[in-house]
């Protein structure tokens, strides 16, 4: 029997919504209709319902200098609304998140910083070697370059010893670049420092298309390509490059898998632009809405600001105490149900994840048994299985033993 | 009507003129399309036309329906009945897996269209999950061929989209 052509509604809303994120990614190049539909809210609601995936945000509250990340689901379709991170060592601070549901976290116990990667849905996690932690971190990003086997890279921008450089053309601030590659299980510091004018600062950041994008205060964009490990600066085209085009709020977001920008124009209109061509640096405005009217509505506070996009149709708005879901299709807003208030939370991490286990184990051949990693391994071994007080006691015991041993040798 | 539904005789006629006698109307409760016709129409004329589905496919649909009669009856809470319910559910699941395993693509698609037309949600879920499993791991060009979709992207546009979903293209 020859196959009929299935109607696209069945393929999109019944079949693709039962597949995986990888299949959906691949199906986006099949045709324009599929690319469009697989970025819409209607499609995603069905997808999350059918596949029981998790989609939401990690908020990171700061309390007495301690971070406490909490997960909040942004979709009603799935029953999972909690993703506790209590299986990880405390204290914990989230640094970055990837598309595959991987978190990069910093565990700062006894002032010994250790970085780890984890997948909250499957509770898999692993410590990774440390970068040069004596330099202060400015920004971090992580991206997945391959899934079988898992291959990811981490970018770390930090302040070098030489904080600024004076040239004929002016004073420049410097940032150093370190990259961690999970395939070689090592950090690598790039010899060239990033230099930009001293009065220009890094502002909003997002990781899309296998690259890290950061908007500066002078409306330039810094981009770091994870694959080639090269970076460059380029300026936004007209009218976005004009510093007075937007009074406030410029937020880089992910839109349809690519780079998007949300800005507030004349304190009234919110515009969403997307980068159409990366080679030619052309942008197109795709949406606008009267933000001033919106925040005057019930449920909104004066300090509401756009955060990120869930998909083509739904935007997340930081409403200071809570998060609102704004639907472009009908202009409706609703608050996300949250366990605790959002008060003053500055950092948010969007997470979309399945429950498929990934292999975070490092191949033995990749582990470099140098003294530094040995020291970290010993610390990991001591601290990991025990709770706070016990491991502290163990530490004291070891210290006493070592002192005793040394005294015996000297006497 | 004074007589209960379960005693009615039904006749279904496929697109190629074959008539199927159904002794027990409970068999077709999973087919919402037919169920609605039965409920709306109180006459003695119990011949229902199914013009979009041919006899081979309709036979398979009815076979599936017969197997799934009463599969959602939940027990009253007694342990024995519950055990029976779960083991029957497991058996039906196994049967479903066998049912879809050896279907060729043409038959699978016709069954899918029939399930959609007859509004048989459970059957549609089963078949669409099967197709979703079939396209897992396939490349974009293969997906296009399987569903017979025309590529309307230019090579540059296609490259741009691949760049936006790097984790899907290794």
């Amino acid at each position: 029997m020859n196959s009929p052509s299935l109607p696209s509604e069945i393929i999109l809303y019944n079949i693709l919504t039962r597949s995986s994120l990888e299949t959906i990614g691949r199906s986006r190049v099949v045709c324009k209709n599929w690319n469009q539909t697989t970025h819409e809210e209607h499609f995603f609601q069905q997808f999350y319902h059918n596949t029981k995936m998790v989609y939401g945000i990690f908020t990171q509250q700061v309390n007495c200098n301690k971070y406490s990340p909490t997960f909040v689901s942004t979709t009603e379709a799935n029953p999972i609304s909690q993703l506790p991170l209590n299986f990880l060592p405390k204290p914990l601070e989230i640094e970055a998140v990837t598309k595959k549901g991987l978190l990069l976290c910093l565990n700062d116990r006894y002032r010994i910083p250790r970085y780890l990667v984890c997948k909250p849905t499957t509770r898999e996690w692993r410590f990774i070697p440390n970068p040069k932690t004596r330099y202060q971190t400015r920004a971090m990003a992580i991206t997945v370059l391959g899934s079988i086997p898992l291959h990811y890279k981490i970018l770390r921008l930090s302040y070098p010893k030489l904080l600024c450089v004076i040239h004929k053309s002016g004073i420049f601030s410097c940032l150093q670049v370190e990259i961690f590659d999970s395939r070689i299980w090592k950090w690598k510091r790039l010899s060239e420092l990033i230099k930009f004018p001293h009065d220009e600062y890094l502002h909003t950041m997002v990781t899309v298309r296998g690259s890290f994008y950061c908007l500066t205060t002078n409306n330039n964009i810094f981009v770091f390509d994870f694959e080639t490990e090269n970076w460059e600066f380029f300026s936004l085209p007209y009218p976005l490059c004009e510093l007075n085009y937007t009074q406030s709020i410029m937020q880089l977001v992910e839109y349809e898998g690519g780079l998007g920008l949300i800005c507030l124009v004349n304190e009234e209109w919110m515009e969403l632009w997307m980068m159409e061509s990366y080679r030619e640096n052309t942008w197109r405005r795709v949406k606008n809405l009267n933000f001033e009217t919106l925040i005057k509505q019930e449920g909104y506070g004066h300090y509401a600001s756009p955060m990120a996009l869930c998909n083509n149709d739904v935007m997340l708005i930081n409403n200071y105490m809570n998060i609102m879901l704004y639907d472009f299709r009908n202009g409706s807003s609703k608050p996300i149900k949250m366990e605790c208030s959002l008060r003053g939370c500055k950092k948010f991490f969007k997470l979309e994840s399945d429950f498929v286990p990934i292999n975070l184990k490092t191949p033995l051949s990749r582990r470099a048994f140098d003294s530094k990693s040995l020291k970290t391994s010993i610390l990991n071994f001591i601290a990991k299985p025990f709770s706070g007080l016990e491991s502290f006691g163990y530490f004291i015991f070891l210290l006493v033993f070592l002192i005793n041993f040394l005294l015996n040798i000297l006497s | 009507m004074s007589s209960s539904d379960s005693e009615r005789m039904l006749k279904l006629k496929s697109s190629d003129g074959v008539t199927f006698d159904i002794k027990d109307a409970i068999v077709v409760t999973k087919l919402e399309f037919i169920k609605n016709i039965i409920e709306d129409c109180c006459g003695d004329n119990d011949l229902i036309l199914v013009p979009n589905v041919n006899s081979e496919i309709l036979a398979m649909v009815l076979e599936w329906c017969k197997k799934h009669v009463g599969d959602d009856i939940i027990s009253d809470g007694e342990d024995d009945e519950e055990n029976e319910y779960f083991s029957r559910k497991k058996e039906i699941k196994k049967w479903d897996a066998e049912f879809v395993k050896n279907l060729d693509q043409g038959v699978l698609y016709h069954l899918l269209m029939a399930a959609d037309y007859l509004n048989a949600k459970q059957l549609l879920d089963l078949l669409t999950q099967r197709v979703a499993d079939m396209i897992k791991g396939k490349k974009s060009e293969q997906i296009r061929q399987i569903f017979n979709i025309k590529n309307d992207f230019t090579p540059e546009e296609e490259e741009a989209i691949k760049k936006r979903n790097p984790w899907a293209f290794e």
Side-chain angles (χ1 to χ4, degrees), chain B residues 20-36:
Chain B
F20 291 83
D21 287 324
I22 301 180
K23 292 191 180 56
D24 196 343
I26 247 177
V27 168
V28 294
T29 47
K30 295 267 176 206
L31 309 177
E32 290 284 329
F33 175 78
I34 300 199
K35 193 169 146 204
N36 290 340

Side-chain angles (χ1 to χ4, degrees), chain A residues 1-5 7 10-11 14-15 18 22 25-26 28-32 35 147 209 256-257 275, chain B residues 56 105-106 109-110 113 116 124-125 128-129 132 138 140 144 148 152-153 161 163-165 168-170:
Chain A
M1 201 178 293
N2 61 335
S3 334
S5 280
I10 290 190
I11 304 177
N14 291 69
I15 297 175
R18 288 188 157 80
E22 280 89 4
R26 272 182 238 126
R28 286 182 174 144
V29 295
V30 166
C31 69
K32 288 183 178 163
N35 183 38
S147 30
R209 289 175 84 248
E256 274 190 25
M275 194 172 189
Chain B
E56 185 190 336
Q105 195 175 295
Y109 281 15
H110 277 104
M113 303 279 272
D116 183 50
L124 188 66
D125 287 349
T128 49
Q129 185 64 60
K138 295 266 192 305
S140 317
R144 259 188 227 119
N148 202 13
D152 53 358
F153 283 121
I161 298 191
K163 254 281 189 173
R164 287 176 194 199
N165 301 277
F169 301 93
E170 283 148 39

Side-chain angles (χ1 to χ4, degrees), chain A residues 210-225:
Chain A
S211 295
F212 168 77
Y213 291 90
C214 182
L215 183 69
T216 71
T217 46
N218 285 352
N219 288 1
N220 291 316
I221 293 193
F222 166 79
V223 55
F224 177 85
D225 185 330

Side-chain angles (χ1 to χ4, degrees), chain A residues 295-308:
Chain A
I295 61 175
K296 286 201 171 108
Q297 283 173 21
E298 199 189 313
Y300 278 99
H302 184 63
Y303 296 105
S305 64
M307 270 164 75

Side-chain angles (χ1 to χ4, degrees), chain A residues 22 26 97-102 141-155 179-184 188 207-212 224-230, chain B residues 162-170:
Chain A
E22 280 89 4
R26 272 182 238 126
V97 179
T98 75
K99 195 87 193 169
K100 289 277 288 181
L102 272 189
I142 180 172
T143 200
V144 171
L145 295 171
S147 30
I148 303 170
L150 183 68
H151 177 212
Y152 57 90
K153 280 191 184 175
I154 303 172
L155 167 73
I179 305 156
F180 178 79
D181 188 336
S182 69
R183 270 198 191 144
I184 53 175
K188 177 172 70 178
T207 304
V208 297
R209 289 175 84 248
S211 295
F212 168 77
F224 177 85
D225 185 330
F226 277 97
E227 204 151 349
T228 61
E229 296 181 1
N230 287 329
Chain B
K162 279 190 180 163
K163 254 281 189 173
R164 287 176 194 199
N165 301 277
W167 75 95
F169 301 93
E170 283 148 39

